[in-house]
Amino acid sequence: RVADHYEGIMSFEAEMIVPDKAVDDLGQPGEASITILRYLLELGYRKDVFNSTSLGSLEILKEELSHIKKGEAGKHLIFPHSRKKWRDVVVTGARRSPFISTEGHGEARVIKLHQDHRGTGRGGGRTLARSAANLPRTVVSVANAAESPTVLCARREMESWRILQLEPSALRKPDEINASPHLSSNGAHLPGSLYHLAHTAVTNSKDQKPLIDPDFIYSKVANRLTTLIGDVRKVWVDRDDKRETLTLQVTGIDGTDHPARSLSDGTLRFLALSVLELDVTDRGLICLEEPENGIHPERIPAMLQLLQDIATDPDESVDENNPLRQVIVNTHSPTVVSEVSDDSLLVAEIREDILNDKKFKRVSFSCLSDTWRTKAPEKPSVVSKGKLMAYLNPASPPRPKGDHRPRRVADRDDLQMLLPLRERSNG
């Protein structure tokens, strides 16, 4: 919105690496002809000229799904990665024509779905054209394996993008025995998810034979939780066949069992992310707000290490131990900002701009200089580290007049010998 004017068009664009296989709503499998794609969607606002009281509706102005040539993938995947171990594994296939295209203008505008067949790189079969003015939803949202398996893979990829809003009340709830085996976006089904993982065959021995080993899974979660709170002997799920419930339990070093309802909010969020890390079927993009909430400042590095371990390692081959996942978090924490690498930081700022001679404010994302992000084709804005001083050296809030005590705890003389050398106020 600019002043009293509402913009009539919204557009979205995403470049993505999609899974090479997917299953449609009827259980039919499909295989992508190429796995690196670009999706564009443009929506417009349409007034209802026949009903003055109607709020109008949205219409699809443009929808496109095209491929990025495999030989040009390096120009788009500009972050450091292993070409042999990672890029050549996740970027596969070939294509010569688009999968979804938009042609024409106004009422004559049509959106076309071009069928494809794995291995040929060409469109196959008839092209399905639909009038854009009458489409109630996007073409990609109804893709199936028979018409266009690559579009199906793109659909499944975008469906896997989610925001985790882990709610303590949902994390504390026991599960029914037949509950969903996957963690929900709000943290529900944490006991069911861990129980399912613990009773799924895994490979954890030298002879590489899959076997069901609940203690192996429970110990991995317990070891991870130990990095956060230390006082952990065991993490497990109590199955009550009489009540038909599953309850998450944490056993302390002293042997005391603590059910999920008695655990802190930060511990529960950390447990949920630990379980998510082990679920290799949970792939795609994961967004998380302020992961440091409820975490002791001394333990924030453990949380950040967990988030990094959830994301794919671009120097190793993608497999069951390194699924294709990306993690995006936002934060206001100086500790988080100071702990992550410069490459990982994007600074969000409110900036003033002008459109049609009217001023408005927008969000701008900037990266730090001397990072790989500055090599992006769209030439991103660059911010100096001086902009981050409020995070790297946070100031205390103002105090009453005449209060001459040190402004920071770290400035107190009696604490200087307790601080690391680089943090002492005199050095």
Side-chain angles (χ1 to χ4, degrees):
R1 186 183 67 179
V2 180
D4 58 350
H5 170 73
Y6 287 84
E7 183 60 44
I9 297 175
M10 296 179 71
S11 61
F12 307 84
E13 188 171 355
E15 291 181 358
M16 53 187 156
I17 298 173
V18 304
D20 60 351
K21 296 181 178 67
V23 177
D24 66 17
D25 295 341
L26 296 177
Q28 302 305 304
E31 189 172 358
S33 57
I34 189 168
T35 59
I36 184 166
L37 306 171
R38 181 188 293 108
Y39 181 65
L40 172 66
L41 178 65
E42 193 173 279
L43 301 176
Y45 170 67
R46 179 171 57 191
K47 293 183 179 180
D48 190 343
V49 295
F50 301 105
N51 186 352
S52 60
T53 63
S54 172
L55 294 177
S57 60
L58 294 178
E59 63 177 331
I60 300 174
L61 301 180
K62 181 186 292 186
E63 184 179 11
E64 295 178 350
L65 182 68
S66 57
H67 67 287
I68 295 172
K69 293 180 180 179
K70 184 177 179 181
E72 297 180 357
K75 298 178 182 179
H76 298 262
L77 306 174
I78 60 175
F79 53 86
H81 63 273
S82 169
R83 176 173 180 175
K84 185 176 181 180
K85 287 185 176 181
W86 191 84
R87 194 208 306 175
D88 289 348
V89 173
V90 299
V91 178
T92 60
R95 179 72 174 183
R96 300 176 186 173
S97 57
F99 298 97
I100 299 175
S101 63
T102 301
E103 298 179 8
H105 302 279
E107 294 298 321
R109 191 175 63 256
V110 295
I111 298 178
K112 295 183 176 182
L113 174 65
H114 308 273
Q115 295 179 322
D116 71 279
H117 295 288
R118 172 80 180 186
T120 66
R122 304 186 306 273
R126 62 191 180 92
T127 296
L128 302 177
R130 297 176 173 89
S131 172
N134 299 320
L135 281 178
R137 58 193 300 177
T138 60
V139 172
V140 75
S141 68
V142 293
N144 59 58
E147 293 177 345
S148 189
T150 305
V151 181
L152 171 66
C153 291
R155 172 190 171 187
R156 293 296 186 228
E157 168 60 24
M158 288 188 279
E159 286 175 342
S160 72
W161 301 347
R162 58 176 175 158
I163 299 176
L164 288 184
Q165 295 177 316
L166 301 176
E167 300 172 3
S169 59
L171 291 165
R172 289 190 170 94
K173 284 183 180 179
D175 261 337
E176 296 180 356
I177 289 179
N178 61 348
S180 170
H182 299 292
L183 190 72
S184 298
S185 294
N186 67 348
H189 307 308
L190 176 56
S193 180
L194 178 54
Y195 186 83
H196 174 77
L197 285 173
H199 291 81
T200 300
V202 295
T203 302
N204 63 350
S205 57
K206 293 182 179 179
D207 57 8
Q208 300 297 302
K209 290 184 178 180
L211 52 87
I212 296 177
D213 188 355
D215 290 338
F216 174 71
I217 298 298
Y218 290 150
S219 65
K220 291 191 73 171
V221 177
N223 291 340
R224 177 68 79 170
L225 186 59
T226 299
T227 65
L228 183 75
I229 60 178
D231 183 25
V232 178
R233 175 185 292 178
K234 185 180 179 183
V235 175
W236 53 291
V237 176
D238 177 37
R239 173 171 173 152
D240 187 330
D241 289 324
K242 290 185 178 179
R243 295 183 175 85
E244 296 185 348
T245 58
L246 302 171
T247 305
L248 181 67
Q249 301 274 358
V250 175
T251 303
I253 295 296
D254 61 359
T256 304
D257 292 334
H258 303 277
R261 65 176 180 273
S262 67
L263 300 177
S264 70
D265 295 357
T267 298
L268 286 168
R269 279 195 287 267
F270 194 87
L271 270 172
L273 293 172
S274 300
V275 172
L276 183 65
E277 181 203 7
L278 294 178
D279 189 357
V280 298
T281 64
D282 203 323
R283 305 187 177 194
L285 173 64
I286 299 168
C287 299
L288 187 66
E289 288 199 51
E290 300 182 335
E292 70 277 2
N293 282 349
I295 303 295
H296 189 285
E298 197 176 66
R299 304 297 187 182
I300 287 178
M303 171 63 83
L304 295 177
Q305 184 60 56
L306 172 56
L307 293 172
Q308 186 166 321
D309 291 343
I310 290 175
T312 187
D313 183 347
D315 291 322
E316 298 296 333
S317 181
V318 171
D319 55 25
E320 61 180 13
N321 297 314
N322 186 34
L324 194 60
R325 291 190 292 218
Q326 184 179 7
V327 178
I328 297 177
V329 305
N330 75 336
T331 184
H332 295 93
S333 167
T335 306
V336 173
V337 174
S338 62
E339 286 287 338
V340 301
S341 67
D342 289 359
D343 288 342
S344 297
L345 286 175
L346 285 173
V347 181
E349 299 176 284
I350 300 296
R351 294 185 178 178
E352 194 172 78
D353 211 334
I354 297 177
L355 178 66
N356 298 328
D357 297 325
K358 293 185 177 181
K359 294 182 179 180
F360 71 100
K361 293 182 179 180
R362 63 180 177 86
V363 177
S364 172
F365 292 92
S366 305
C367 63
L368 292 175
S369 60
D370 300 323
T371 66
W372 59 261
R373 293 183 182 276
T374 60
K375 302 176 184 178
E378 63 271 17
K379 296 181 180 179
S381 59
V382 177
V383 65
S384 68
K385 276 196 174 180
K387 279 282 189 178
L388 297 180
M389 288 309 295
Y391 288 95
L392 303 179
N393 187 27
S396 303
R399 292 171 301 167
K401 186 176 181 180
D403 188 346
H404 300 295
R405 291 174 298 171
R407 292 188 62 82
R408 300 183 305 162
V409 174
D411 291 331
R412 287 170 44 182
D413 293 337
D414 58 332
L415 292 178
Q416 292 302 301
M417 296 307 295
L418 301 178
L419 296 173
L421 183 60
R422 65 182 175 87
E423 296 181 12
R424 297 179 188 174
S425 60
N426 60 359

